[in-house]
C-alpha cells in the first residue's frame, strides 16, 4: 500500500493534479433508479450540448448526462494536456434498459457502456458514439468518463489500432 500511495503521489505531481485531487463538479453517486428509470414512449428524443448530441427517453437524465460529459471532457483534456478538437459532436445513446443496450450493441451484460468511432482522413475520430442505458449503476462516476476518454485518446493517436487493447482500457 505504501508503494501504491507513492506511485499515485508521483503521478498526481506529474499530471499537476492539485493536492487532495481534482474537485468534481458533477454527481458521483450510484444512480437513483426512481429518478432516472422513467422513460417516454416512442423514439429517442434529442438534446444538443456543445460537444455531444444526446439521444434519450428521459429529459432530466439527458440534461444531467450532458453536463457530466462536458465536465469530464474538460477535466480529461486538462489532465492530459491534449488539445482535442473534434470535427463533429459525439452521439450519445442512452437506451431504456440494460437488455436493450446489450441487444443493440452486442456488448456483454457486465459492461456499463461502450464507444464506437472511426478515423476520418485528417479529421481525427468521426462518427463518434457512446452507448449506455438509463440506470447503468456507475453512469456518472465511471461509464461516461471511461467512454469519453476512449474518444479523446483515440483522437490524439495516429496509429491507435497498434496499441494493445489493455493499454486503451487501462488509460480510460
Amino acid at each position: 500500500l505504501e508503494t501504491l500511495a507513492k506511485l499515485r503521489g508521483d503521478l498526481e505531481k506529474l499530471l499537476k493534479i492539485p493536492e487532495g485531487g481534482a474537485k468534481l463538479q458533477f454527481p458521483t453517486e450510484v444512480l437513483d433508479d426512481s429518478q432516472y428509470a422513467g422513460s417516454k414512449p416512442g423514439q429517442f428524443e434529442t438534446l444538443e450540448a456543445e460537444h455531444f448530441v444526446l439521444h434519450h427517453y428521459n429529459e432530466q437524465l439527458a440534461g444531467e448526462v450532458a453536463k457530466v460529459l462536458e465536465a469530464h471532457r474538460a477535466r480529461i483534456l486538462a489532465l492530459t494536456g491534449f488539445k482535442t478538437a473534434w470535427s463533429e459532436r459525439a452521439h450519445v445513446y442512452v437506451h431504456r434498459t440494460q437488455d436493450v443496450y446489450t441487444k443493440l450493441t452486442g456488448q456483454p451484460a457486465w459492461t456499463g457502456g461502450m464507444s464506437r468511432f472511426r478515423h476520418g482522413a485528417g479529421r481525427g475520430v468521426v462518427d463518434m458514439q457512446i452507448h449506455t442505458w438509463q440506470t447503468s449503476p456507475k453512469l456518472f462516476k465511471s461509464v461516461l468518463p471511461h467512454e469519453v476518454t476512449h474518444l479523446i485518446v483515440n483522437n490524439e493517436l495516429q496509429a491507435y489500432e497498434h496499441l494493445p487493447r489493455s493499454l486503451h482500457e487501462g488509460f480510460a
Side-chain angles (χ1 to χ4, degrees), residues 76-140:
I76 293 161
L77 290 174
L79 288 172
T80 61
F82 292 155
K83 306 290 185 222
T84 294
W86 292 344
S87 58
E88 59 189 49
R89 292 180 187 157
H91 288 261
V92 180
Y93 296 87
V94 184
H95 300 282
R96 284 188 175 103
T97 66
Q98 183 182 25
D99 288 342
V100 171
Y101 158 79
T102 58
K103 182 178 179 182
L104 293 177
T105 63
Q107 295 298 303
W110 58 263
T111 64
M114 57 90 62
S115 55
R116 290 183 180 145
F117 63 91
R118 66 179 180 82
H119 269 264
R123 294 177 33 208
V125 292
V126 296
D127 297 333
M128 296 176 288
Q129 297 179 13
I130 294 174
H131 291 263
T132 188
W133 74 92
Q134 288 182 197
T135 57
S136 180
K138 296 181 181 176
L139 184 63
F140 297 144

Side-chain angles (χ1 to χ4, degrees), residues 20-49:
K23 302 282 188 263
L24 299 177
Q25 304 285 324
F26 38 81
T28 58
E29 67 278 354
V30 172
L31 287 181
D32 173 6
D33 284 2
S34 65
Q35 186 176 0
Y36 297 127
S39 63
K40 294 181 180 179
Q43 301 298 315
F44 279 118
E45 292 186 10
T46 303
L47 174 79
E48 294 191 15

